[in-house]
Amino acid sequence: MNINKNYFDLKESYLFAKVSQKIREYKAQNPNNEIISLGVGDVTIPLAPKIVAAMSKAVLEMGAADTFHGYGDYEGYLFLRQAVCGYYAGKGVRLSDDEVFISDGAKSDLGNILDIFSEDNTVLIPDPVYPVYVDTNIMAGRRIEYMDGNLENCFLPMPNAGTKANIIYLCSPNNPTGAVYNKEQLSQWVKYALENDAVILFDGAYEAFIQDGGLPSSIYQIDGAKKCAVEFCSLSKTAGFTGTRCGYTVVPRELERGGASLNKLWLRRQSTKFNGVPYIVQRGAEAVFTGEGLSQIKRDIAYYLENARIIADALTELGIWFAGGRNSPYIWLKCPDNMLSWEFFDFLLERANVAGTPGSGFGSNGEGFFRLTAFGSCENISEAMRRFKTALD
Amino acid sequence: MNINKNYFDLKESYLFAKVSQKIREYKAQNPNNEIISLGVGDVTIPLAPKIVAAMSKAVLEMGAADTFHGYGDYEGYLFLRQAVCGYYAGKGVRLSDDEVFISDGAKSDLGNILDIFSEDNTVLIPDPVYPVYVDTNIMAGRRIEYMDGNLENCFLPMPNAGTKANIIYLCSPNNPTGAVYNKEQLSQWVKYALENDAVILFDGAYEAFIQDGGLPSSIYQIDGAKKCAVEFCSLSKTAGFTGTRCGYTVVPRELERGGASLNKLWLRRQSTKFNGVPYIVQRGAEAVFTGEGLSQIKRDIAYYLENARIIADALTELGIWFAGGRNSPYIWLKCPDNMLSWEFFDFLLERANVAGTPGSGFGSNGEGFFRLTAFGSCENISEAMRRFKTALD
C-alpha cells in the first residue's frame, strides 16, 4: 500500500491558525481590550428573506409524500440551471442549460476539475493567491509556474510570451488583492490561452461585487473565451451562502481539448463522484435569481461595499497604497513604513486592537502587504479605521 | 494541454438509460398498461417529522443575524460528529469525534478518498458491484482485480491468499445483491487486509437495514478493523436523504500506512477540496440520531423491509433462488428458466408490466440475475408480485 506521496510536498497552512493564536494570546494578556477582526473572508449578514422563504417551503415539501424529492440530476435541477442562464443573459452572455453545473461551492469544483486534466500539464498560478489553487495541484504532482503580482502591475499579472502553461488560474475580483482585470487585460489572457492550447480556470466568486459597468464580471464577456475557459462562481459571497453551500460551474460546449469535450468529461466526473446539491439549497439558490432575491442581495452587497469604502477612504487619507476596496470586499494594502506583513499584524493588533491577514500568507509576493475584509458591521469597521488612523498618526 | 486519457477507458453506463428507454417504448405501444417499477434504488417515503422540524428551525436561524452560520468546519459540525459517535456507541463501537467526517454522501467520499492513495496501488473489487468503485479507479488509471460473487459463495466473495491487492472494496449489505457478510467472514477480510498491508474501503450505506442482531452493521465491530478500514455511511437510505445529501466517513486515528496517518491525510484533502455540508442539512442529520428521530426512521425502514418480505415470499413460493430481501432493500434473484438478464427484463415488462434492473449491468457475474428493490408503496409491490407470479405460472 502506497499513499499519495505528493501530500508530503504540501506546506501546512498555518496562516489563519497563527492569526487566531496571536489574537488569543493578546486577549489573554489584555482581557479588557475589544478586538475588531477584519481578517476573515466570511459573510456576516443573514440570508435574505426571499431565500429563507424558498428554503422553508422546500423543507416542508421534503416532508410530504406528494412533493418529496429523492435523487436529483447530478448537474443540478433544471429550474436552477435555467435561473443561472437567465442571470448570465443579464450580463450579455448566452449559455445553454447543459453548460451549467450546480455545485456545492466554487472551492470543490476548482479542485475537482483537475480530475479531467492529465497530470503532466503545467499550471500557471498568480502569486499572491488563494492557497487552494496551489495545494490541489501539488496533491496531483503537477508542475507549477508562478506569475508575479506586484506594485508594478497592480497585482494583475499579464501573460508572458515566454511562459508555456496548459492550465491558467485567474481570479477577478481577486482574493486576496481585490484587484479586477479590465476587458482589455482579460482579452490578452484569452488570446494567450487560445494561442497556447491552454485552459483558463476563471474564479469569479466575487463577481457580484463589481459595480463599474465597464469591468467584466464573466470571462465569457470576452470574445473567444468559450473556447478556452471554465468559469467558477459561488453564492457564498454573492448571497451569503458560505454556510448554505451552493455555486455553479460553466463548461461551454465549445470547449474541447485533445478531441474531447470538456463539458462531457466534467459531466462524467460529476456523475461518478458527486450526487448533486440538496433540493432545499437549490430552491434557495433559485430564489437568489428572482427579481426580489436579486434586489435583496444587492442591498447586502452594497452594505459590504460601503464598509470597503470606509476602509479605502481611511487609507487614502493616510496616503497608504492599496488595491481593491471598490469592486471587491477585499482591501490589499502596502504595510506602512516598509513593515513586513507579520510586523504590521502585530503593530495593528497591539496599537489599534484590529486584526487583519498578513499578505505573506498568500505567497512570497504578498510579503510587505496586508489584507483587510469589508465583512462585518459598519459600526465596527468605522471604529476599526478610527483606531487604525490614530495608531499611525 | 492533455486531458486525463483514463477517461477514454470508461464504459458509458447505459444501464439505467436503457431501462428507461425500454419502458418508454413499451408504454408508447401499450398506453393503457400501468407499469410498476421495482428498478430504481431511490427512497420514496418523505423525510420524518423530526427531521423536517429541525431543518425548518435551521432555515429560520440562517435568516436572523444572531443565529446565522457562515463557514462551518470542513469535517462537519461537532454537534453532528458527536451524534454519529453516539450512534456508533449503540453498536458497541467507540469513536472519537475527530475520526468522523461529515460528507455530502457516501458516493462522493468513496470516490474522493482515492486522492490520498498512490495510483500504483492495485484495487480489489467484487463483481457484481456498484459501478462507482470501478469507474473512479479507471479514472485514476489504477490496476483493478475482480473477485467473483456467484451462486457458490452466495455473492459474498472471500479473500484469496493468491491475490495481492492494496485497496479492497466491500459493501455489506450489498448493492446490488442484498447479501450481508457475517462476523466470521468480515474477520477473514480484516485478517487478510492486515496481513497484506491493505486498506478496506467499507461501504455501509445500507447498514440501517440490518435486523439480525448477529450480523455486523459496522466493520469496526470486528477486532483489528480500525487498523485497516475506512467506513462510508450515508443517510440516503437510512433516513430518506437521497435528495437532502448527508453522509459520514470514519477514518480511525489508528489507521496508518507508509508512516502517515490516513485520518490526517483525509482531513488535508477535505480542507483543500471541500467546504463542508450545509448547516441546515447537518441540523436535519443531527435530528436523525435523536431518540425520536431514530424511532421515526426505523418505522420507515420497517416499511421497506415489509415490502422486501413480500417480494421474498413470492420468490420462495415460486422456488426462485434469491439473495437479500431480509437485511437489505435489495432482492437479487436468479432469472427463471435460465433466462439472461435482459431477456428476463423484457419478459417481466411484457408479461407482468413490472420493471426491474438486469443484473448484467452490474458486472459480468450478474448475467442471468436480476435486481428488484423494495422502495415504493406496499400496495404497488404486492400488486407487482401478484402479476409476477401469474406471469410465471
Side-chain angles (χ1 to χ4, degrees):
Chain A
M1 156 62 68
N2 292 318
I3 65 146
N4 178 351
K5 292 195 177 56
N6 296 317
Y7 273 64
F8 295 134
D9 298 330
L10 291 166
K11 289 192 194 125
E12 282 298 329
S13 174
Y14 291 122
L15 178 64
F16 289 100
K18 192 170 166 188
V19 166
S20 302
Q21 190 197 334
K22 277 186 171 263
I23 294 174
R24 264 197 314 275
E25 284 170 10
Y26 182 82
K27 271 186 170 166
Q29 284 162 17
N30 306 274
N32 296 323
N33 295 18
E34 189 227 350
I35 292 158
I36 299 176
S37 173
L38 306 183
V40 184
D42 195 0
V43 294
T44 48
I45 301 174
L47 294 181
K50 182 76 179 174
I51 301 165
V52 171
M55 290 204 290
S56 289
K57 179 166 175 276
V59 169
L60 296 181
E61 283 176 36
M62 294 298 283
D66 291 350
T67 50
F68 175 72
H69 285 76
Y71 289 119
D73 298 327
Y74 305 120
E75 64 272 34
Y77 279 102
L78 187 60
F79 65 74
L80 181 52
R81 289 184 284 126
Q82 286 178 337
V84 171
C85 289
Y87 184 64
Y88 271 92
K91 302 177 183 229
V93 173
R94 188 178 293 181
L95 297 178
S96 70
D97 52 54
D98 59 359
E99 295 178 305
V100 175
F101 296 80
I102 305 305
S103 74
D104 62 336
K107 182 182 174 188
S108 306
D109 277 15
L110 276 159
N112 293 334
I113 192 85
L114 294 169
D115 280 13
I116 69 171
F117 299 116
S118 171
E119 287 167 10
D120 60 10
N121 290 300
T122 296
V123 298
L124 184 58
I125 300 182
D127 171 354
V129 76
Y130 177 46
V132 160
Y133 309 155
V134 176
D135 288 352
T136 51
N137 280 292
I138 291 178
M139 285 173 172
R142 278 198 193 80
R143 203 168 74 82
I144 299 175
E145 295 257 0
Y146 292 94
M147 46 181 164
D148 291 330
N150 50 38
L151 280 178
E152 287 69 50
N153 58 25
C154 293
F155 290 92
L156 291 168
M158 294 304 298
N160 174 337
T163 303
K164 295 293 169 206
N166 311 109
I167 298 171
I168 301 160
Y169 286 85
L170 298 179
C171 177
S172 176
N174 190 272
N175 177 15
T177 71
V180 187
Y181 282 113
N182 64 30
K183 283 194 179 164
E184 166 55 25
Q185 291 168 322
L186 273 193
S187 296
Q188 286 186 48
W189 274 115
V190 167
K191 187 163 172 281
Y192 172 87
L194 290 171
E195 283 171 2
N196 288 277
D197 193 36
V199 169
I200 295 171
L201 303 180
F202 189 80
D203 182 350
Y206 297 91
E207 57 84 23
F209 286 81
I210 293 179
Q211 307 294 304
D212 293 359
L215 291 173
S217 65
S218 163
I219 196 164
Y220 303 122
Q221 291 169 330
I222 309 300
D223 285 343
K226 283 190 180 177
K227 291 192 186 301
C228 66
V230 177
E231 182 159 293
F232 303 85
C233 288
S234 166
L235 298 180
S236 283
K237 308 300 159 67
T238 301
F241 268 51
T242 52
T244 303
R245 312 301 321 137
C246 195
Y248 47 95
T249 296
V250 179
V251 190
R253 285 188 298 190
E254 295 171 46
L255 185 51
E256 295 190 353
R257 286 296 180 274
S261 155
L262 297 197
N263 180 290
K264 285 197 181 138
L265 288 174
W266 180 241
L267 178 60
R268 192 64 163 93
R269 193 273 169 203
Q270 290 298 80
S271 57
T272 305
K273 295 197 188 180
F274 187 58
N275 243 332
V277 170
Y279 171 75
I280 297 159
V281 170
Q282 292 194 57
R283 282 295 184 198
E286 180 192 28
V288 171
F289 296 109
T290 60
E292 205 181 339
L294 286 172
S295 98
Q296 290 175 355
I297 63 157
K298 277 178 186 160
R299 196 187 48 205
D300 298 341
I301 288 170
Y303 183 93
Y304 293 134
L305 285 171
E306 171 62 13
N307 287 350
R309 192 194 56 76
I310 292 168
I311 299 172
D313 284 355
L315 297 176
T316 304
E317 206 176 305
L318 289 161
I320 293 176
W321 184 96
F322 66 94
R326 264 168 53 90
N327 296 289
S328 158
Y330 295 122
I331 292 92
W332 179 254
L333 61 98
K334 187 167 178 336
C335 301
D337 303 327
N338 291 317
M339 275 188 260
L340 297 177
S341 298
W342 278 108
E343 262 185 282
F344 185 62
F345 176 90
D346 292 335
F347 173 88
L348 205 58
L349 180 64
E350 287 161 22
R351 302 286 184 89
N353 293 338
V354 170
T357 311
S360 55
F362 298 102
S364 54
N365 286 326
E367 182 59 275
F369 292 85
F370 202 76
R371 191 188 79 171
L372 298 175
T373 82
F375 300 114
S377 78
C378 177
E379 295 70 26
N380 274 350
I381 286 189
S382 301
E383 170 62 16
M385 295 322 287
R386 265 192 297 276
R387 296 188 198 163
F388 193 108
K389 283 192 269 189
T390 309
L392 282 165
D393 238 7
Chain B
M1 156 61 69
N2 292 317
I3 65 147
N4 178 351
K5 293 198 175 52
N6 296 317
Y7 273 63
F8 296 134
D9 297 331
L10 292 166
K11 289 190 195 130
E12 282 298 330
S13 174
Y14 292 122
L15 178 64
F16 288 101
K18 191 170 167 188
V19 165
S20 302
Q21 190 195 336
K22 278 186 171 263
I23 294 174
R24 263 197 315 275
E25 284 170 9
Y26 183 82
K27 270 185 173 169
Q29 286 161 16
N30 306 274
N32 297 323
N33 296 18
E34 189 227 350
I35 292 159
I36 300 175
S37 173
L38 305 184
V40 184
D42 195 0
V43 294
T44 49
I45 300 173
L47 294 182
K50 181 76 178 174
I51 301 165
V52 171
M55 290 205 289
S56 289
K57 179 165 175 277
V59 169
L60 297 180
E61 283 176 35
M62 293 297 283
D66 292 351
T67 50
F68 175 71
H69 284 77
Y71 288 118
D73 298 327
Y74 307 120
E75 64 272 33
Y77 279 101
L78 187 60
F79 65 75
L80 181 52
R81 288 184 284 126
Q82 287 178 336
V84 171
C85 289
Y87 184 64
Y88 271 92
K91 302 176 183 231
V93 173
R94 188 178 294 181
L95 297 178
S96 70
D97 53 56
D98 60 359
E99 295 177 305
V100 175
F101 296 79
I102 305 304
S103 74
D104 63 335
K107 181 182 173 188
S108 306
D109 279 13
L110 277 159
N112 293 335
I113 192 86
L114 294 169
D115 279 13
I116 68 171
F117 299 116
S118 171
E119 287 167 10
D120 61 9
N121 290 299
T122 297
V123 299
L124 185 58
I125 300 182
D127 171 354
V129 76
Y130 178 46
V132 161
Y133 309 155
V134 175
D135 288 352
T136 51
N137 280 291
I138 290 178
M139 285 173 172
R142 279 198 192 79
R143 204 169 72 82
I144 299 175
E145 294 257 358
Y146 292 94
M147 47 183 164
D148 291 329
N150 50 38
L151 281 178
E152 288 68 50
N153 58 26
C154 294
F155 289 92
L156 292 168
M158 295 303 299
N160 174 337
T163 304
K164 293 296 167 206
N166 312 108
I167 298 172
I168 302 160
Y169 287 86
L170 298 179
C171 177
S172 176
N174 189 273
N175 176 15
T177 70
V180 187
Y181 282 112
N182 64 31
K183 284 193 178 165
E184 165 56 24
Q185 291 168 320
L186 274 193
S187 298
Q188 286 186 48
W189 274 114
V190 167
K191 187 163 173 283
Y192 171 87
L194 291 171
E195 284 171 2
N196 288 276
D197 193 36
V199 170
I200 295 172
L201 303 180
F202 188 81
D203 181 351
Y206 298 91
E207 57 84 23
F209 286 82
I210 293 178
Q211 306 295 304
D212 293 359
L215 291 173
S217 65
S218 163
I219 195 163
Y220 304 122
Q221 291 168 331
I222 309 300
D223 283 345
K226 282 190 179 176
K227 290 190 185 303
C228 67
V230 177
E231 182 159 292
F232 303 85
C233 287
S234 167
L235 297 180
S236 283
K237 310 298 160 69
T238 301
F241 268 50
T242 52
T244 302
R245 314 297 325 136
C246 194
Y248 46 96
T249 296
V250 178
V251 190
R253 286 189 297 192
E254 295 172 47
L255 185 51
E256 294 189 354
R257 287 297 180 275
S261 155
L262 297 197
N263 180 290
K264 284 197 181 139
L265 288 174
W266 180 240
L267 177 61
R268 192 64 164 94
R269 193 272 169 204
Q270 290 299 81
S271 57
T272 304
K273 295 197 187 179
F274 187 59
N275 243 333
V277 170
Y279 172 74
I280 297 160
V281 169
Q282 292 194 59
R283 281 295 183 198
E286 180 192 28
V288 170
F289 296 109
T290 60
E292 205 180 336
L294 286 172
S295 99
Q296 290 175 355
I297 62 158
K298 277 179 185 159
R299 193 187 52 204
D300 298 341
I301 289 171
Y303 184 94
Y304 294 133
L305 285 171
E306 171 62 14
N307 287 349
R309 193 194 56 76
I310 292 167
I311 299 172
D313 284 355
L315 297 176
T316 303
E317 207 177 302
L318 288 163
I320 293 175
W321 184 95
F322 66 94
R326 264 166 54 89
N327 297 289
S328 158
Y330 295 123
I331 293 91
W332 179 254
L333 61 98
K334 187 168 180 334
C335 301
D337 303 327
N338 291 317
M339 275 188 260
L340 297 176
S341 297
W342 278 109
E343 262 185 284
F344 186 62
F345 176 89
D346 291 335
F347 173 88
L348 205 58
L349 181 62
E350 288 162 20
R351 302 286 184 88
N353 294 338
V354 169
T357 311
S360 54
F362 297 101
S364 54
N365 286 326
E367 182 58 274
F369 292 85
F370 202 77
R371 191 188 79 171
L372 298 175
T373 81
F375 300 115
S377 79
C378 176
E379 294 71 27
N380 273 350
I381 286 187
S382 300
E383 170 62 17
M385 296 322 287
R386 266 192 297 276
R387 296 187 199 166
F388 193 108
K389 283 192 269 190
T390 309
L392 283 165
D393 239 7

